[in-house]
Amino acid sequence: MAAELQQHVFAQLDRLAGPAGRFALGYSGGGDSHALLLLATDWAKLRGRDLTALIVDHGLRPESADEAALALERAEAAGIPAEVLSWTGEKPQQGIQAAARTARHTLLATACRRLGIAHLLLAHTLDDQAETVWMRLVAGGGWRSLAGMRERSASPVWPQGRGLELIRPVLQVRRAALRQYLDDADSDWIEDPSNLDRRYTRIRIREHLASMEAQGFDPARLAHWAAGLAGIDRAEAEAAGRLALDALKLEPWGAARIERERYARSLPAVRLRLLDALVHALALPGPAPARRHLQRLDQALIGGERVTAARLMGLRWKSRSWLLRDPGSVLGRADLTQDTPGTHTPGNRLAPQAHPDGTATAPPWHPISAQITLESGLEDAIISPLGRDYAGLEERSLLERIPGIARPALLAVRHCNRIIALPGLLGDERVGFDDWVPERFVTRLFAVTPPAWFDSEKVKAAPAETLSP
């Protein structure tokens, strides 16, 4: 039994992990993660890989700090370097599980980036997959959500999780098999009392599935169902990827240019999949777009009409269809202040963060999905939308290739009352611009590394490309 489990997990790690040298493991000391720790440790030693255990203390129970310390001891006793990551600050009164999940992934992603790690192992099991599918079914989720968790997926937090891949090598293994493995190895694990708290939906679903299994239902059916839907989801994503290569160009100033006739020839489901990825890449932060909003954008792009939906604007300009950030969302959000992470409005200075080498880095500006780096001497620069009067811009001819309605919302870097940079349009050697939109688009579309045939460079517009009327 133990030998079969080890052989399966080693094969999964070999298949999913690829050539990467360093890995982290999300470790709680519970039965699932402790079993994966022991298995992954043996695999890492055999394959010459480096493994680090990352332990999240959510701070939701008085004993959580002691449990995290015990998990730290267990990981180090297995010969694996480990560290505890603590979720500090006030906790929400509502939606605590969702908030804890976001905090956990943010802490894990931030630690992985600091350690130079691009692959994070998670100990989700077949039972977790079945629970996830059932929960989403009860909640009325669409077929894509019922595809469940993937063996490989991108981190769900952005930009902290940028470039981080989640790997689930025991997603086909029953929870009981992992605990039997630990019993055979005479290795104890930490029992989390939250796993018995019926206030949480997942725990009630777990009990319900256990009752169904006692009456003859096999939870593996749900996992197999999810795997089948995941295959359909991949096929749809690849079709949308081919449409992107054929009809899409991502502008570095923050828009998507679409060849309408090529776009319209594609199937509606494929077009909506493409639009979903574009909303996540281009729009202001917000909830996932509703299908009806994607359909409104879709019909506007085909019909050449102007419409605003899902925090984007669709319009026709110079014989092409365009998707832009809704200018009203960028220019009219008076509720945002400099203290609102990742956002900015015209009247507020986005203060750069100084570094010891004399450079400064502006915090990620989510509406543009980019990182701005300023060299020494530009610490007092202002980063904000261009504005309706284009104040400080000397070379206004640069705007001729931009739809007029989009121009006020362009990202501008001002210094000494002059615009010294418009990312994607006007450069300055002292200003570094890292455009995240293509990466965000590809990550959302494929959920992980794109197929080998997909060349993301081909969906990027040339910086100086001129459009004919």
Side-chain angles (χ1 to χ4, degrees), residues 31 81 88 144 168 198 249-250 384 393:
T88 58
R144 291 179 189 83
R168 300 178 174 90
R198 299 194 79 258
K249 291 294 182 184
L250 295 173
S384 66
L393 180 62

Side-chain angles (χ1 to χ4, degrees), residues 15 47 53 60 103 165 194 280 333:
R15 180 174 65 87
R47 301 292 191 265
L60 297 177
E165 187 172 300
S194 298
H280 279 80
R333 294 189 53 133

Side-chain angles (χ1 to χ4, degrees), residues 149-335:
M149 296 178 286
R150 308 298 198 273
E151 290 179 323
R152 294 170 62 231
S153 63
S155 169
V157 293
W158 184 272
Q160 299 92 338
R162 181 181 177 223
L164 179 64
E165 187 172 300
L166 309 182
I167 296 177
R168 300 178 174 90
V170 293
L171 197 58
Q172 300 174 24
V173 179
R174 292 298 304 267
R175 185 177 293 130
L178 293 179
R179 280 158 173 71
Q180 185 61 55
Y181 170 80
L182 294 175
D183 285 339
D184 292 345
D186 196 23
S187 184
D188 294 332
W189 62 89
I190 302 170
E191 288 288 3
D192 183 352
S194 298
N195 289 329
L196 300 175
D197 193 337
R198 299 194 79 258
R199 290 177 300 174
Y200 299 135
T201 302
R202 179 173 289 275
I203 303 308
R204 297 194 298 273
I205 293 292
R206 183 172 298 171
E207 293 178 354
H208 180 65
L209 289 177
S211 174
M212 292 176 61
E213 185 172 12
Q215 299 175 48
F217 177 76
D218 184 0
R221 295 178 187 175
L222 293 173
H224 295 155
W225 183 24
L229 291 175
I232 298 173
D233 184 67
R234 282 193 299 272
E236 185 183 81
E238 291 190 5
R242 296 188 187 279
L243 175 59
L245 292 177
D246 187 46
L248 174 69
K249 291 294 182 184
L250 295 173
E251 295 282 354
W253 48 268
R257 174 162 45 93
I258 298 171
E259 298 295 336
R260 183 175 65 89
E261 292 184 1
R262 298 175 185 175
Y263 174 83
R265 287 197 296 265
S266 188
L267 292 173
V270 175
R271 299 198 305 264
L272 295 185
R273 181 62 173 261
L274 181 72
L275 291 178
D276 173 82
L278 288 172
V279 169
H280 279 80
L282 291 170
L284 283 161
R291 190 171 182 81
R292 67 180 185 277
H293 294 154
L294 296 178
Q295 290 170 332
R296 286 185 63 197
L297 289 174
D298 177 60
Q299 292 307 305
L301 291 173
I302 292 175
E305 303 171 357
R306 179 181 295 181
V307 70
T308 300
R311 306 180 302 284
L312 291 182
M313 175 179 287
L315 54 85
R316 184 86 168 155
W317 187 72
K318 286 196 174 183
S319 75
R320 291 172 176 83
S321 295
W322 296 77
L323 276 181
L324 319 165
R325 293 184 191 88
D326 174 21
S329 296
V330 177
L331 298 171
R333 294 189 53 133
D335 58 309

Side-chain angles (χ1 to χ4, degrees), residues 408-425:
L410 293 173
L411 181 63
V413 181
R414 290 179 169 88
H415 188 243
C416 298
N417 297 319
R418 289 180 57 251
I419 291 179
I420 61 173
L422 285 171
L425 296 168

Side-chain angles (χ1 to χ4, degrees), residues 2 46 66 105 115 151 159 216 230 257 264-265 298 323 369 386 413 436 458:
L46 188 64
D66 291 338
H105 277 288
L115 296 170
E151 290 179 323
R257 174 162 45 93
R265 287 197 296 265
D298 177 60
L323 276 181
S369 295
L386 177 60
V413 181
W436 292 346
K458 291 185 177 180

